[in-house]
Amino acid sequence: MSDQTSDQKKVKLWDFPVRLFHWALVIAIVTSWWTNRELMIDIHAIAGYSVLTLVLFRIVWGFVGSSNAKFKAFLTGPRKVIGYALKIPNGSMAELTYPGHNPAGGWMVAVLLVLVGVQAVTGLFASEDTFLFFDGPLVTYVSSDFANTMNWIHHTNINLIYAAVGLHVFAALFYLVVKRENLIGAMVTGARKVPADLVSRFAEIRFASPILGIGILIVCGLLVWGGVTLARG
Protein backbone atom coordinates (compact mmCIF):
# COMPACT_ATOMS: atom_id res chain seq x y z
CA MET A 1 0.00 0.00 0.00
CA SER A 2 1.22 3.49 -0.76
CA ASP A 3 0.82 4.72 2.81
CA GLN A 4 2.90 1.96 4.35
CA THR A 5 6.48 2.89 5.09
CA SER A 6 9.50 0.64 5.07
CA ASP A 7 10.14 1.58 8.71
CA GLN A 8 8.00 -0.97 10.52
CA LYS A 9 8.22 -2.35 14.00
CA LYS A 10 6.87 -5.53 15.54
CA VAL A 11 4.43 -4.98 18.38
CA LYS A 12 2.72 -7.39 20.76
CA LEU A 13 -0.98 -7.55 20.00
CA TRP A 14 -2.76 -10.66 21.33
CA ASP A 15 -2.25 -12.40 24.64
CA PHE A 16 -1.84 -16.18 24.89
CA PRO A 17 -5.33 -16.90 26.31
CA VAL A 18 -7.01 -15.11 23.38
CA ARG A 19 -4.91 -17.01 20.84
CA LEU A 20 -5.52 -20.31 22.63
CA PHE A 21 -9.26 -19.63 22.63
CA HIS A 22 -9.27 -18.73 18.94
CA TRP A 23 -7.49 -21.82 17.64
CA ALA A 24 -9.11 -24.20 20.13
CA LEU A 25 -12.50 -22.96 18.95
CA VAL A 26 -11.49 -23.54 15.34
CA ILE A 27 -10.51 -27.12 16.18
CA ALA A 28 -13.70 -27.70 18.17
CA ILE A 29 -15.94 -26.38 15.39
CA VAL A 30 -14.20 -28.40 12.69
CA THR A 31 -14.35 -31.50 14.90
CA SER A 32 -18.04 -30.92 15.55
CA TRP A 33 -18.75 -30.56 11.84
CA TRP A 34 -16.77 -33.65 10.86
CA THR A 35 -18.12 -35.92 13.58
CA ASN A 36 -21.66 -34.91 12.69
CA ARG A 37 -21.05 -35.92 9.07
CA GLU A 38 -19.49 -39.21 10.14
CA LEU A 39 -22.17 -39.90 12.79
CA MET A 40 -19.53 -40.02 15.54
CA ILE A 41 -22.01 -38.69 18.05
CA ASP A 42 -20.02 -39.25 21.25
CA ILE A 43 -17.06 -37.24 19.93
CA HIS A 44 -19.52 -34.71 18.53
CA ALA A 45 -20.88 -34.21 22.05
CA ILE A 46 -17.38 -33.74 23.49
CA ALA A 47 -16.67 -31.14 20.82
CA GLY A 48 -19.89 -29.37 21.82
CA TYR A 49 -18.92 -29.36 25.49
CA SER A 50 -15.53 -27.96 24.47
CA VAL A 51 -17.23 -25.16 22.54
CA LEU A 52 -19.37 -24.33 25.56
CA THR A 53 -16.27 -24.24 27.77
CA LEU A 54 -14.49 -21.91 25.37
CA VAL A 55 -17.47 -19.58 25.04
CA LEU A 56 -17.81 -19.33 28.84
CA PHE A 57 -14.10 -18.59 29.09
CA ARG A 58 -14.23 -15.88 26.42
CA ILE A 59 -17.17 -14.19 28.11
CA VAL A 60 -15.27 -14.02 31.39
CA TRP A 61 -12.07 -12.95 29.65
CA GLY A 62 -14.05 -10.22 27.95
CA PHE A 63 -14.39 -8.56 31.35
CA VAL A 64 -11.17 -9.44 33.21
CA GLY A 65 -8.65 -10.11 30.41
CA SER A 66 -6.17 -7.92 28.60
CA SER A 67 -7.37 -4.44 27.74
CA ASN A 68 -7.85 -5.13 24.02
CA ALA A 69 -9.64 -8.42 24.76
CA LYS A 70 -12.35 -6.72 26.82
CA PHE A 71 -15.72 -6.21 25.18
CA LYS A 72 -15.71 -2.52 26.02
CA ALA A 73 -12.56 -2.12 23.91
CA PHE A 74 -14.04 -3.35 20.64
CA LEU A 75 -17.83 -3.24 20.76
CA THR A 76 -18.69 0.18 19.37
CA GLY A 77 -21.80 1.91 18.08
CA PRO A 78 -23.14 1.37 14.53
CA ARG A 79 -21.81 4.74 13.34
CA LYS A 80 -18.22 3.70 13.99
CA VAL A 81 -18.77 0.30 12.40
CA ILE A 82 -20.24 1.80 9.23
CA GLY A 83 -17.58 4.51 9.14
CA TYR A 84 -14.83 1.92 9.41
CA ALA A 85 -16.39 -0.30 6.72
CA LEU A 86 -16.49 2.65 4.32
CA LYS A 87 -12.79 3.31 4.89
CA ILE A 88 -11.65 -0.26 4.20
CA PRO A 89 -11.24 0.02 0.38
CA ASN A 90 -8.98 3.09 0.37
CA GLY A 91 -8.31 3.88 4.01
CA SER A 92 -4.83 4.69 5.27
CA MET A 93 -2.95 2.57 7.80
CA ALA A 94 -3.63 5.21 10.42
CA GLU A 95 -7.38 4.84 9.81
CA LEU A 96 -7.46 1.04 9.62
CA THR A 97 -5.00 0.01 12.33
CA TYR A 98 -6.37 -0.68 15.80
CA PRO A 99 -4.62 -2.09 18.90
CA GLY A 100 -7.04 -5.00 18.87
CA HIS A 101 -10.21 -5.75 16.93
CA ASN A 102 -11.37 -3.02 14.57
CA PRO A 103 -15.03 -1.91 14.90
CA ALA A 104 -16.29 -4.34 12.26
CA GLY A 105 -14.14 -7.24 13.45
CA GLY A 106 -15.20 -6.65 17.03
CA TRP A 107 -18.85 -7.21 16.22
CA MET A 108 -17.95 -10.27 14.17
CA VAL A 109 -16.37 -11.71 17.34
CA ALA A 110 -19.56 -11.00 19.28
CA VAL A 111 -21.80 -12.54 16.60
CA LEU A 112 -19.68 -15.69 16.42
CA LEU A 113 -19.68 -16.02 20.20
CA VAL A 114 -23.47 -15.80 20.29
CA LEU A 115 -23.93 -18.25 17.43
CA VAL A 116 -21.57 -20.94 18.72
CA GLY A 117 -22.90 -20.39 22.23
CA VAL A 118 -26.45 -21.00 21.04
CA GLN A 119 -25.28 -24.10 19.18
CA ALA A 120 -23.58 -25.54 22.26
CA VAL A 121 -26.49 -24.77 24.62
CA THR A 122 -29.19 -26.13 22.30
CA GLY A 123 -27.14 -29.30 21.93
CA LEU A 124 -27.56 -29.91 25.65
CA PHE A 125 -31.30 -30.28 25.08
CA ALA A 126 -31.17 -32.04 21.71
CA SER A 127 -32.71 -35.46 21.17
CA GLU A 128 -31.70 -37.42 18.08
CA ASP A 129 -33.68 -40.65 18.15
CA THR A 130 -34.00 -41.21 14.41
CA PHE A 131 -30.59 -42.62 13.56
CA LEU A 132 -28.11 -41.19 16.05
CA PHE A 133 -29.88 -42.33 19.22
CA PHE A 134 -28.46 -39.52 21.30
CA ASP A 135 -30.01 -37.41 24.03
CA GLY A 136 -28.40 -34.27 25.35
CA PRO A 137 -27.67 -34.28 29.10
CA LEU A 138 -30.55 -31.90 29.85
CA VAL A 139 -33.22 -33.37 27.59
CA THR A 140 -34.84 -35.35 30.42
CA TYR A 141 -35.50 -32.11 32.30
CA VAL A 142 -37.64 -30.48 29.59
CA SER A 143 -40.80 -31.26 27.67
CA SER A 144 -40.72 -32.95 24.28
CA ASP A 145 -41.96 -29.73 22.66
CA PHE A 146 -39.08 -27.79 24.17
CA ALA A 147 -36.60 -30.48 23.08
CA ASN A 148 -38.01 -30.36 19.55
CA THR A 149 -37.60 -26.59 19.48
CA MET A 150 -33.99 -26.93 20.63
CA ASN A 151 -33.44 -29.53 17.91
CA TRP A 152 -34.78 -27.17 15.27
CA ILE A 153 -32.61 -24.29 16.50
CA HIS A 154 -29.57 -26.58 16.65
CA HIS A 155 -30.00 -27.72 13.05
CA THR A 156 -30.87 -24.25 11.74
CA ASN A 157 -28.29 -22.23 13.63
CA ILE A 158 -25.41 -24.26 12.19
CA ASN A 159 -26.07 -22.66 8.79
CA LEU A 160 -25.67 -19.23 10.35
CA ILE A 161 -22.38 -20.37 11.86
CA TYR A 162 -21.15 -21.55 8.46
CA ALA A 163 -22.05 -18.17 6.96
CA ALA A 164 -20.36 -16.21 9.77
CA VAL A 165 -17.23 -18.36 9.65
CA GLY A 166 -17.09 -17.95 5.87
CA LEU A 167 -17.33 -14.18 6.20
CA HIS A 168 -14.66 -14.20 8.91
CA VAL A 169 -12.26 -16.22 6.74
CA PHE A 170 -13.00 -14.02 3.71
CA ALA A 171 -12.20 -10.88 5.72
CA ALA A 172 -8.91 -12.35 6.96
CA LEU A 173 -7.88 -13.33 3.42
CA PHE A 174 -8.96 -9.93 2.07
CA TYR A 175 -6.69 -8.16 4.54
CA LEU A 176 -3.86 -10.56 3.73
CA VAL A 177 -4.08 -10.36 -0.06
CA VAL A 178 -5.45 -6.87 -0.71
CA LYS A 179 -4.39 -4.80 2.30
CA ARG A 180 -1.16 -6.75 2.90
CA GLU A 181 -2.00 -7.14 6.57
CA ASN A 182 -1.33 -10.60 8.04
CA LEU A 183 -4.02 -10.74 10.71
CA ILE A 184 -3.91 -14.55 10.67
CA GLY A 185 -0.22 -14.58 11.56
CA ALA A 186 -0.83 -12.13 14.38
CA MET A 187 -3.35 -14.53 15.91
CA VAL A 188 -0.69 -17.27 15.76
CA THR A 189 2.33 -15.40 17.10
CA GLY A 190 0.56 -12.69 19.09
CA ALA A 191 2.49 -9.94 17.31
CA ARG A 192 2.22 -7.91 14.11
CA LYS A 193 4.25 -5.33 12.22
CA VAL A 194 3.00 -1.75 11.99
CA PRO A 195 4.46 1.53 10.74
CA ALA A 196 6.74 3.08 13.36
CA ASP A 197 4.49 6.11 13.77
CA LEU A 198 1.62 3.87 14.93
CA VAL A 199 3.56 1.93 17.56
CA SER A 200 2.40 4.23 20.36
CA ARG A 201 -1.16 2.95 19.97
CA PHE A 202 -0.05 -0.55 20.97
CA ALA A 203 1.87 0.69 23.98
CA GLU A 204 -1.52 1.40 25.56
CA ILE A 205 -2.45 -2.31 25.68
CA ARG A 206 -2.40 -3.74 29.19
CA PHE A 207 -1.88 -7.49 29.17
CA ALA A 208 -3.48 -9.70 31.82
CA SER A 209 -1.65 -12.67 33.29
CA PRO A 210 -1.74 -15.74 31.01
CA ILE A 211 -1.78 -17.89 34.16
CA LEU A 212 -5.03 -16.18 35.15
CA GLY A 213 -6.43 -16.95 31.72
CA ILE A 214 -5.48 -20.62 31.86
CA GLY A 215 -6.94 -20.86 35.37
CA ILE A 216 -10.25 -19.38 34.20
CA LEU A 217 -10.32 -21.78 31.25
CA ILE A 218 -9.76 -24.76 33.55
CA VAL A 219 -12.52 -23.61 35.89
CA CYS A 220 -14.92 -23.21 32.96
CA GLY A 221 -14.04 -26.70 31.77
CA LEU A 222 -14.65 -28.16 35.22
CA LEU A 223 -17.99 -26.38 35.46
CA VAL A 224 -19.15 -27.77 32.12
CA TRP A 225 -17.85 -31.28 32.88
CA GLY A 226 -19.36 -31.21 36.37
CA GLY A 227 -22.69 -29.94 35.11
CA VAL A 228 -22.91 -32.56 32.35
CA THR A 229 -21.90 -35.34 34.75
CA LEU A 230 -24.45 -34.22 37.33
CA ALA A 231 -27.19 -33.97 34.71
CA ARG A 232 -26.41 -37.45 33.44
CA GLY A 233 -26.83 -38.74 36.99
Side-chain angles (χ1 to χ4, degrees), residues 110-158:
V111 168
L112 279 169
L113 274 177
V114 170
L115 290 177
V116 297
V118 167
Q119 195 69 6
V121 170
T122 55
L124 298 176
F125 299 93
S127 179
E128 298 284 0
D129 56 3
T130 53
F131 55 90
L132 294 179
F133 303 105
F134 173 82
D135 285 336
L138 300 182
V139 72
T140 57
Y141 299 94
V142 299
S143 66
S144 59
D145 287 342
F146 187 87
N148 289 334
T149 299
M150 293 297 101
N151 266 342
W152 181 84
I153 294 175
H154 195 72
H155 289 285
T156 303
N157 186 65
I158 189 62

Side-chain angles (χ1 to χ4, degrees), residues 14-210:
W14 298 117
D15 61 36
F16 176 73
V18 164
R19 288 178 283 141
L20 176 62
F21 159 80
H22 183 277
W23 296 114
L25 185 61
V26 170
I27 294 172
I29 290 175
V30 171
T31 301
S32 181
W33 167 77
W34 176 253
T35 52
N36 183 64
R37 284 176 55 90
E38 298 299 315
L39 305 184
M40 303 166 66
I41 194 60
D42 290 336
I43 300 178
H44 182 79
I46 293 173
Y49 303 149
S50 298
V51 169
L52 183 57
T53 296
L54 291 166
V55 170
L56 289 176
F57 160 75
R58 189 60 184 89
I59 291 173
V60 176
W61 201 242
F63 291 99
V64 304
S66 300
S67 60
N68 63 344
K70 292 181 178 179
F71 296 125
K72 67 179 182 181
F74 59 82
L75 294 183
T76 63
R79 181 176 298 179
K80 284 189 176 181
V81 175
I82 295 173
Y84 179 84
L86 293 176
K87 293 174 183 176
I88 290 177
N90 302 303
S92 66
M93 282 292 292
E95 293 174 312
L96 299 179
T97 300
Y98 280 74
H101 295 295
N102 61 59
W107 277 105
M108 175 56 72
V109 171
V111 168
L112 279 169
L113 274 177
V114 170
L115 290 177
V116 297
V118 167
Q119 195 69 6
V121 170
T122 55
L124 298 176
F125 299 93
S127 179
E128 298 284 0
D129 56 3
T130 53
F131 55 90
L132 294 179
F133 303 105
F134 173 82
D135 285 336
L138 300 182
V139 72
T140 57
Y141 299 94
V142 299
S143 66
S144 59
D145 287 342
F146 187 87
N148 289 334
T149 299
M150 293 297 101
N151 266 342
W152 181 84
I153 294 175
H154 195 72
H155 289 285
T156 303
N157 186 65
I158 189 62
N159 296 312
L160 299 179
I161 293 177
Y162 291 155
V165 169
L167 181 60
H168 184 66
V169 172
F170 172 80
L173 292 177
F174 172 83
Y175 271 87
L176 179 64
V177 176
V178 178
K179 309 301 287 186
R180 305 297 183 186
E181 288 297 313
N182 190 359
L183 303 182
I184 301 172
M187 190 54 74
V188 173
T189 65
R192 65 175 290 191
K193 290 183 177 180
V194 299
D197 57 342
L198 300 181
V199 170
S200 60
R201 297 184 184 181
F202 295 81
E204 299 174 358
I205 301 175
R206 296 294 176 263
F207 291 96
S209 168

